[in-house]
Amino acid sequence: ASGEQLTAWPEGSVIVKDGFTGEHPRLVAIMEKREGGWFWAEYQEDGEVEESGAPRNCIKCHDAGDDYVRAFKLPM
């Protein structure tokens, strides 16, 4: 709203990603920006948690993104 370039997503930001194999839903991944960083959770199709917290395998892939988000850039 201020028109200034963001350098990080604000606390409370939430990103939801769904994953499919063909037309079959396979997973839902959620990132929530909290005080101190992002909290990740990945759910299998049956609702079971596959990963949560700050798993290193998530973080290492997201290191290359703006504020750990690889799907899209920070808004201007």
Side-chain angles (χ1 to χ4, degrees):
S2 69
E4 295 181 29
Q5 172 73 40
L6 290 178
T7 58
W9 293 97
E11 286 181 24
S13 297
V14 175
I15 298 171
V16 178
K17 172 183 82 170
D18 53 8
F20 289 80
T21 301
E23 294 183 16
H24 183 71
R26 190 177 64 81
L27 66 88
V28 173
I30 301 170
M31 295 171 57
E32 179 186 13
K33 183 74 178 270
R34 297 180 176 178
E35 184 178 342
W38 288 96
F39 177 87
W40 277 272
E42 186 171 299
Y43 300 87
Q44 298 173 358
E45 62 188 275
D46 62 3
E48 290 294 317
V49 175
E50 180 146 333
E51 301 274 358
S52 67
R56 185 69 206 138
N57 61 319
C58 294
I59 294 170
K60 72 179 179 184
C61 290
H62 285 260
D63 276 342
D66 291 344
D67 193 22
Y68 295 93
V69 177
R70 294 187 60 188
F72 39 85
K73 297 282 188 188
L74 287 161
M76 298 180 101

